[in-house]
Amino acid sequence: MSAIRESLLKDLTPEIEKTGRTWYVVFGIFLLIFIVGIYGLIQQIDKGHIVTGMRDNVVWGVYIVNFIFFMGLSYAGALVSGTLHLFKTPWRAPVIRIAELITVISLAIGPFFIFFCVGRLDRLPYILAFPRIQSPIVWDVIAILTDVFGAAIFLYISFLEDFAILRDNEDLQILPWKKKMYRILALGYQGTEKQKRILSFSRNVMAAIIIAIAIIVYSVLAWIFGVTLQPGWHSTIFGPYFVIAAIFSGVGLLIVLMAIFRKIYNLEKYITLKHFVNLGIVLFVIAAFFGYFTFSDYLTKWYGSVKMDKILIDKLFTEFRFYFIVANYIGILTPIIIIAIPRLRTIRNITIAAIIALVALWVNRYIIIVPTLETPFLPIQDTRADWLWYSPTWVEWSLTAAGIAVFGMLFMIISKIAPIISISEMEEAEEKRKQNQLTGEHHE
Amino acid sequence: MSKTILRYTLLTLLIGLTAGFSLNAMQDEPAKINPYMLFTYLKNTDSRNILQVRMTNITRTSEVPLPGLNVSFLNNDTLLGEVVTNGSGNAEFVIPEDFPISTGEDGSRTFIARFAGDSLTEATESELAITDVILEMVLTEEEGKKMVLLKATMASAGGPVPVAAEEISVFVPRTFSLLPVGTGTLEADGTVKIPFPDDIPGDKDGNLTVIGRFNDHYLFGNVEKREETQWGVPAVKAPPAYRSLWSTLAPRWMIITLSIMLLGVWGHYTFVIISLFRIRKDGLKHKKSE
Amino acid sequence: MKKNKEESSSRRKFIRNLGLGLGSAAVAGSAAIAREPAEPDSGEKVMLLSSDGKLVEVDRSAIRVAKARTKEEIKKSYKGLPDKKFVMVIDLAKCKNARKCVDACQEGHMLPKDHEWIKIYLLQDSEMASKYWFPKPCYHCDNPLCVSVCPVGATYKREDGIVLVDNKRCIGCKFCMTACPYSARVFNWKDPEVEVPRDHVYDPELNIPPVEGTVGKCVFCADKLRVNELPRCVKACPMGVIYFGDINEDAVTNGVETLRFSSLVHDKQGYRHMEELGTAPSVYYLPPVNRMYPVEIGFEDLDESISERYTPHDVKKPKKNDR
């Protein structure tokens, strides 16, 4: 067994073997939040959607914001992991497992927020029974199904070698059902030449496809808004804009989760400052692009004199002023500044930059959706405050929290089944490094 | 003394209870509907006299038809017949051809529609004084222009007399109402020529019905003559979109693009899954050989 | 009393949410027995919840009859009236916000008071121009964005131009509401708690009762059009503001006077609202010139909860939560 494998197994297997009390406590807290969310959902099903803050004009609120946000997080695995894999970036090894997990889990959670927003949950199968392919929602359903399936295959391929390693590991003190599970999931992988070749090729194919699918999925999502005529939505930049925002949020979450796992599993040896800085630079570049797209979108709206655009911009600069500053100034400039200045590049600062970016992106989605719906072509003439202005209720917030809780719970469960750092990838990276060293020495 | 008090108490109680009951009864009794009766006379193209009644209840928000009400039609005091209003509140009575309608000295006939009232609805009645008129219509074309010739004569003490200086119009029946297409005033000889426009849409062959009609006339009521002719413009209906964004069938390019993309992506997935099975097969082979 | 209603309401919801779909069949089912058993009794009995919360035993064949009749009605509503294309003309010069159209529509379609399928706005095109009352039903566009974006085909455009909503198929995703630029659609956010007659079979043309979690909108009273009667708002307007007719016949009427559609739109410069959006509405407006009444008349005798709508509110949300 190679040195790196031994060291990794020593550090990671304790988590798979036994569960500490902290794990149960944290899981319990998540579960509690989840139950509160379910209670909110039951209220909504029982009393109708009137318990949310949505009314006849702002018909899409926090649920759709969460949906777009979670789908955007999925870019961590899709674009980051896929691209890093195709470019054979050497430092990718410790982080891609986390990235791919983010993709699958956020793709699993995201669609639930659409279900919450739909008025008749009992009729949801109608989308599959009577689909109209002229509808962007049907495009979205097809795209997401394809994306989930592809991400799952991609994740499984990356897990395969690790399952084989765990299966072969005699010292593992685990329950027999887990051992059996590893054996089945390892698919008889022995590490033969042929198997390695097939696996590597499949991995490359999936990485390429996943990147393409991810871009299509998010563009389709953007076009749900783009094809309507509403002021603020009918923008040609929406497709690329949403894609860039998604990469931004994916990288941000990856950095945050890297920091968390590094702390709780003591992985300082493997996930180092270098990883944070490298991903931080990616964050920096994407933040710059994102800022450019945002500026471009708002500049053209503000400069032109179209009445509806002007009403919308006025609303953004007055009623949503605070949100606008958080999303488009703080959210873009803070990561850029922190990462641009070398002295500020510490793990803690970069993680803070990533957290700010995530929050800012959520707010950014909010100010894309809600102000437009509050300024329809025919002005809302009503006396009730909740029909004029949207304010989310506890039901919507509780379900948002439940979504985040489920995210946490799923990650915690997965970490009990498989190592959070890809052992096989680390081995491969180590081998490559040694080879380069040898060839380098040889050349000298 | 006590006997008097007892008597008076009993009396007061009795009065009080009766008053209470009657008050109660008055409160329980719902207010009767005050119906609105629209009574019109029509002499149709076959010269039949038709009496029409529409009974409705006008509420704050709408006009609700009153079905099932028994309406009697009378000519002066002679009962002509009874009709029950239908679901739309309409009751129509066609006076038999040979019925001797009593005419007054000035040539007018009095018709009365009466509703006697029932437990829910108040009684009401309405009266019309109609002078009989004979209307004739001829459709001609003069110098390429379509013309409607109308002639009206009415009965009077000294025999039939041409109707002069009265307004008469030409209509075309449409889905919900009659469309007026021309108006004229009858000259001294009781005739008038009203031009008919060239661009009125008819059915797909250009047929339509031309109606010459006294519409809601103060003397004659409604009197009309109808004739079907090919004076309309053939209606050409725009074909509905067979494949579009909003039709049931999607545009072809959408279906093709979607199929190509799905086949491409899921084809790759299938390839990868097959590869996984190949890995397994290879693993089993190696295991066996060990 | 209230508890019973809540109980029966939650029981109704329970059955509905289980997706059995028998709730509606129960109403029709119990009535199908009363009316005419088209099929012989199969002998198999089923327990159903009737619309007044009671458990009734119904023969299984009766449910099939009721379901079949609902399906028939929906299928019939897909076929429009042949060779017709309906159009509406609204004369803004005559409207004085009497709101009789709103009342008649709400009554005819059993709508709750805060659902308006025809809304009356107070618009002002530019600062120097005057304000005017603007009744706005659904425009039944010839290029309907709402139909294009519906994922399940619950809303559809017929040959006679009318756009309907099938409340038995609508999943309540509200995409059509965001797509419509004219805010023509309303959503049933809660149970409207409306009692329908016992033998009522659902049909999208009359579209009663409103169904919780689905979308509703003006349907040009398609049920009335089938019997050659004018829509309810047209008949109810005391000023004769709304004209309705068949564009193929080139005639529109407001119940009192009938005019040629082409001459009306030509002589009075009829226009369609926001024509540049390209949705091709079927509702034309006649500009508010030579007004019959000054705008202020529209505020007379108006309930305060309605007249306050038209006072311009602040762009900023109010500080305290007054809901």
Side-chain angles (χ1 to χ4, degrees):
Chain A
M1 215 192 285
S2 63
I4 186 94
R5 184 193 281 202
E6 211 175 297
S7 141
L8 272 169
L9 280 172
K10 198 172 64 139
D11 287 323
L12 294 172
T13 47
E15 270 311 308
I16 301 176
E17 285 173 345
K18 52 192 178 353
T19 316
R21 205 170 49 143
T22 338
W23 193 94
Y24 282 115
V25 168
V26 175
F27 195 82
I29 296 176
F30 279 148
L31 197 63
L32 205 65
I33 299 176
F34 176 65
I35 290 175
V36 171
I38 293 295
Y39 174 66
L41 182 63
I42 293 176
Q43 287 290 306
Q44 189 181 283
I45 293 179
D46 184 39
K47 298 208 178 82
H49 281 227
I50 196 81
V51 300
T52 67
M54 300 186 281
R55 299 289 182 266
D56 266 356
N57 278 285
V58 187
V59 294
W60 286 348
V62 165
Y63 292 145
I64 299 294
V65 174
N66 286 335
F67 167 62
I68 301 177
F69 185 68
F70 274 87
M71 301 302 296
L73 295 178
S74 78
Y75 265 48
L79 242 78
V80 176
S81 171
T83 320
L84 291 180
H85 182 80
L86 285 178
F87 282 123
K88 303 209 182 327
T89 332
W91 51 267
R92 75 182 187 279
V95 302
I96 51 173
R97 173 66 48 79
I98 302 177
E100 287 151 13
L101 280 172
I102 293 177
T103 303
V104 174
I105 293 177
S106 58
L107 279 176
I109 297 178
F112 276 93
F113 282 105
I114 297 217
F115 302 162
F116 299 154
C117 196
V118 156
R120 293 298 303 246
L121 265 177
D122 54 324
R123 293 185 187 170
L124 213 51
Y126 285 7
I127 298 189
L128 299 172
F130 311 113
R132 274 186 84 248
I133 64 167
Q134 299 106 315
S135 165
I137 283 190
V138 173
W139 306 343
D140 204 31
V141 168
I142 296 176
I144 291 179
L145 282 173
T146 311
D147 198 10
V148 171
F149 203 73
I153 296 180
F154 192 44
L155 184 69
Y156 181 57
I157 290 180
S158 98
F159 263 139
L160 197 67
E161 289 176 289
D162 277 13
F163 284 142
I165 293 173
L166 287 168
R167 172 200 60 193
D168 295 334
N169 191 344
E170 306 286 319
D171 309 322
L172 225 51
Q173 307 284 337
I174 47 174
L175 300 161
W177 68 266
K178 260 190 180 164
K179 252 211 154 56
K180 188 169 179 203
M181 182 181 69
Y182 289 143
R183 202 185 66 235
I184 297 176
L185 287 174
L187 273 192
Y189 186 75
Q190 310 283 354
T192 64
E193 276 307 310
K194 185 169 174 209
Q195 281 177 332
K196 270 199 179 148
R197 214 176 3 102
I198 297 176
L199 196 64
S200 165
F201 187 59
S202 303
R203 194 96 173 263
N204 290 342
V205 165
M206 283 313 294
I209 289 270
I210 247 328
I211 295 174
I213 292 296
I215 294 181
I216 292 176
V217 167
Y218 225 64
S219 301
V220 164
L221 201 73
W223 291 334
I224 287 182
F225 302 100
V227 299
T228 65
L229 296 170
Q230 304 296 344
W233 284 4
H234 196 57
S235 166
T236 55
I237 211 177
F238 256 37
Y241 183 32
F242 270 50
V243 169
I244 295 290
I247 306 177
F248 196 20
S249 60
V251 174
L253 186 65
L254 181 57
I255 294 177
V256 169
L257 283 181
M258 261 167 51
I260 293 179
F261 284 121
R262 184 171 174 274
K263 204 52 178 295
I264 58 179
Y265 291 152
N266 301 317
L267 300 169
E268 289 88 352
K269 255 194 305 198
Y270 312 105
I271 304 179
T272 62
L273 177 64
K274 192 176 72 150
H275 296 99
F276 280 89
V277 170
N278 287 338
L279 277 174
I281 292 179
V282 175
L283 194 74
F284 170 94
V285 171
I286 298 296
F289 268 108
F290 182 67
Y292 164 58
F293 274 79
T294 309
F295 182 70
S296 169
D297 194 29
Y298 284 123
L299 176 73
T300 47
K301 282 194 180 73
W302 172 83
Y303 199 98
S305 55
V306 176
K307 209 171 181 180
M308 290 313 298
D309 282 347
K310 185 167 182 307
I311 296 178
L312 181 68
I313 298 274
D314 280 344
K315 193 175 254 277
L316 283 172
F317 286 172
T318 51
E319 185 185 332
F320 289 89
R321 183 176 51 223
F322 176 63
Y323 300 90
F324 192 81
I325 293 176
V326 166
N328 297 326
Y329 287 95
I330 298 179
I332 298 176
L333 293 174
T334 320
I336 288 183
I337 293 175
I338 288 182
I339 294 159
I341 304 175
R343 223 158 45 122
L344 291 176
R345 290 184 202 159
T346 67
I347 293 185
R348 197 186 61 154
N349 288 353
I350 294 180
T351 312
I352 291 176
I355 294 177
I356 292 178
L358 277 176
V359 170
L361 275 162
W362 194 95
V363 176
N364 170 272
R365 305 302 204 283
Y366 189 88
I367 63 172
I368 285 178
I369 293 183
V370 175
T372 293
L373 290 174
E374 281 186 8
T375 54
F377 283 111
L378 281 160
I380 311 175
Q381 287 177 337
D382 208 311
T383 47
R384 300 163 287 187
D386 51 342
W387 290 72
L388 288 163
W389 301 287
Y390 171 69
S391 62
T393 59
W394 72 270
V395 173
E396 294 165 283
W397 290 128
S398 69
L399 279 167
T400 311
I404 300 175
V406 170
F407 193 86
M409 286 198 290
L410 285 174
F411 249 105
M412 294 177 83
I413 294 176
I414 300 267
S415 68
K416 289 285 149 211
I417 297 177
I420 209 79
I421 292 185
S422 175
I423 302 175
S424 46
E425 282 281 325
M426 293 292 280
E427 271 191 326
E428 216 180 292
E430 186 70 17
E431 265 178 48
K432 280 244 168 57
R433 201 174 56 84
K434 285 210 177 93
Q435 260 184 6
N436 285 344
Q437 263 188 338
L438 281 171
T439 39
E441 280 170 15
H442 192 78
H443 278 156
E444 282 165 17
Chain B
M1 187 62 175
S2 57
K3 239 192 184 170
T4 332
I5 295 178
L6 190 63
R7 210 177 290 153
Y8 273 120
T9 326
L10 275 172
L11 200 59
T12 331
L13 266 172
L14 205 64
I15 297 174
L17 280 170
T18 337
F21 272 127
S22 60
L23 266 174
N24 224 15
M26 279 188 343
Q27 268 180 341
D28 279 346
E29 204 180 282
K32 274 187 164 181
I33 298 174
N34 200 351
Y36 171 64
M37 175 189 269
L38 181 68
F39 184 27
T40 47
Y41 165 86
L42 169 68
K43 186 171 187 183
N44 72 357
T45 195
D46 303 318
S47 301
R48 303 297 302 275
N49 299 298
I50 304 173
L51 301 174
Q52 300 161 317
V53 154
R54 185 155 182 268
M55 303 282 286
T56 53
N57 177 24
I58 301 183
T59 66
R60 196 184 60 85
T61 50
S62 59
E63 198 176 343
V64 180
L66 297 169
L69 302 182
N70 197 320
V71 178
S72 348
F73 294 96
L74 299 98
N75 168 229
N76 289 339
D77 295 317
T78 331
L79 180 67
L80 298 169
E82 284 184 5
V83 186
V84 177
T85 54
N86 65 5
S88 313
N90 293 321
E92 196 175 274
F93 182 76
V94 182
I95 301 178
E97 267 183 288
D98 50 357
F99 190 88
I101 305 174
S102 71
T103 314
E105 280 176 4
D106 53 355
S108 75
R109 297 95 63 86
T110 311
F111 297 109
I112 300 172
R114 185 176 293 151
F115 171 62
D118 64 13
S119 56
L120 298 168
T121 326
E122 301 276 2
T124 185
E125 76 171 47
S126 188
E127 193 177 300
L128 284 175
I130 303 290
T131 307
D132 189 30
V133 66
I134 299 170
L135 183 62
E136 288 156 39
M137 181 170 79
V138 178
L139 305 179
T140 61
E141 275 186 60
E142 288 174 17
E143 295 156 9
K145 278 189 163 333
K146 304 179 177 65
M147 290 300 215
V148 179
L149 274 78
L150 292 161
K151 183 172 161 107
T153 40
M154 69 179 177
S156 80
V161 152
V163 176
E166 297 291 346
E167 212 178 79
I168 192 167
S169 308
V170 177
F171 294 88
V172 173
R174 307 275 83 167
T175 312
F176 303 107
S177 58
L178 301 174
L179 172 69
V181 296
T183 307
T185 314
L186 293 165
E187 291 159 32
D189 63 349
T191 63
V192 71
K193 256 192 229 164
I194 302 179
F196 190 88
D198 285 326
D199 55 353
I200 307 282
D203 68 5
K204 55 187 182 310
D205 302 316
N207 297 319
L208 46 69
T209 309
V210 178
I211 305 179
R213 177 174 164 122
F214 282 112
N215 200 35
D216 243 350
H217 198 270
Y218 68 99
L219 278 179
F220 308 129
N222 298 308
V223 183
E224 66 177 30
K225 271 269 173 278
R226 294 183 178 222
E227 193 174 318
E228 208 177 290
T229 177
Q230 208 173 26
W231 271 8
V233 174
V236 175
K237 205 170 114 77
Y242 184 60
R243 281 181 187 279
S244 64
L245 275 177
W246 58 90
S247 55
T248 322
L249 291 169
R252 278 202 184 91
W253 72 266
M254 273 188 163
I255 302 180
I256 294 174
T257 312
L258 193 68
S259 309
I260 292 178
M261 289 173 73
L262 280 180
L263 278 171
V265 173
W266 286 85
H268 280 90
Y269 289 171
T270 324
F271 167 74
V272 169
I273 292 179
I274 292 176
S275 304
L276 288 176
F277 276 107
R278 282 172 61 206
I279 289 178
R280 185 157 171 271
K281 209 172 63 172
D282 195 58
L284 285 170
K285 198 168 62 175
H286 274 259
K287 208 168 170 196
K288 280 206 181 102
S289 65
E290 270 173 15
Chain C
M1 210 35 179
K2 194 180 178 197
K3 191 164 181 282
N4 273 352
K5 216 176 187 191
E6 270 179 40
E7 256 181 42
S8 70
S9 158
S10 63
R11 263 185 298 174
R12 238 178 283 151
K13 280 199 189 71
F14 176 71
I15 288 206
R16 185 178 55 227
N17 286 337
L18 282 183
L20 286 176
L22 286 178
S24 58
V27 175
S30 49
I33 308 168
R35 273 225 177 155
E36 10 110 55
E39 283 185 32
D41 272 7
S42 66
E44 204 185 319
K45 298 282 179 193
V46 177
M47 289 287 259
L48 291 175
L49 201 64
S50 75
S51 63
D52 44 2
K54 300 197 187 67
L55 275 174
V56 291
E57 211 176 57
V58 160
D59 194 273
R60 196 174 269 280
S61 59
I63 303 177
R64 275 203 295 277
V65 169
K67 263 189 166 166
R69 282 178 65 206
T70 315
K71 262 207 177 114
E72 253 173 58
E73 289 291 326
I74 294 178
K75 224 165 149 197
K76 190 175 80 165
S77 73
Y78 271 80
K79 271 181 88 28
L81 301 169
D83 293 329
K84 294 205 188 291
K85 179 129 186 0
F86 294 108
V87 72
M88 188 184 267
V89 181
I90 297 182
D91 192 352
L92 297 174
K94 295 199 260 185
C95 180
K96 69 172 174 79
N97 196 28
R99 297 184 66 84
K100 293 279 182 280
C101 51
V102 180
D103 294 336
C105 175
Q106 285 180 330
E107 193 175 311
H109 295 278
M110 303 174 97
L111 299 177
K113 269 296 153 203
D114 63 343
H115 273 206
E116 294 175 1
W117 285 4
I118 178 168
K119 290 198 189 75
I120 308 205
Y121 290 87
L122 181 64
L123 292 185
Q124 184 179 23
D125 288 343
S126 54
E127 268 182 47
M128 298 301 281
S130 78
K131 299 192 181 164
Y132 58 95
W133 297 104
F134 188 79
K136 184 217 65 177
C138 164
Y139 288 163
H140 297 267
C141 305
D142 286 337
N143 183 348
L145 275 169
C146 55
V147 175
S148 304
V149 299
C150 179
V152 292
T155 182
Y156 48 95
K157 185 168 175 76
R158 324 196 296 196
E159 266 189 34
D160 60 4
I162 296 187
V163 176
L164 289 178
V165 180
D166 178 4
N167 279 119
K168 293 248 172 282
R169 194 184 277 193
C170 177
I171 62 171
C173 69
K174 298 168 245 147
F175 199 178
C176 56
M177 293 180 71
T178 58
C180 176
Y182 306 112
S183 317
R185 289 164 172 255
V186 296
F187 191 75
N188 294 291
W189 298 100
K190 55 182 190 251
D191 192 354
E193 276 163 12
V194 159
E195 289 295 327
V196 279
R198 281 199 94 219
D199 52 355
H200 171 73
V201 179
Y202 172 77
D203 87 287
E205 290 187 353
L206 174 56
N207 212 19
I208 60 173
V211 179
E212 181 190 343
T214 62
V215 168
K217 70 168 192 76
C218 156
V219 291
F220 266 5
C221 286
D223 61 312
K224 290 256 179 197
L225 299 180
R226 257 191 206 275
V227 292
N228 287 344
E229 274 183 40
L230 288 168
R232 295 168 175 85
C233 54
V234 179
K235 295 267 277 283
C237 178
M239 318 311 307
V241 168
I242 309 181
Y243 294 81
F244 193 84
D246 177 1
I247 210 175
N248 291 335
E249 286 182 343
D250 195 28
V252 287
T253 178
N254 62 0
V256 172
E257 59 170 336
T258 308
L259 303 163
R260 289 195 68 179
F261 169 73
S262 50
S263 5
L264 186 63
V265 163
H266 180 269
D267 296 339
K268 296 209 177 170
Q269 188 50 24
Y271 68 95
R272 298 188 289 195
H273 192 60
M274 303 190 82
E275 177 86 50
E276 66 275 9
L277 292 181
T279 49
S282 300
V283 174
Y284 288 74
Y285 286 96
L286 304 178
V289 291
N290 298 329
R291 302 264 278 274
M292 218 183 250
Y293 305 96
V295 176
E296 291 73 31
I297 297 257
F299 285 105
E300 276 178 22
D301 302 326
L302 207 56
D303 201 37
E304 208 184 274
S305 66
I306 299 177
S307 66
E308 270 198 14
R309 284 183 194 179
Y310 305 114
T311 47
H313 45 262
D314 287 333
V315 170
K316 223 194 271 209
K317 211 163 30 175
K319 282 291 176 195
K320 63 170 167 60
N321 217 4
D322 47 1
R323 206 178 301 145

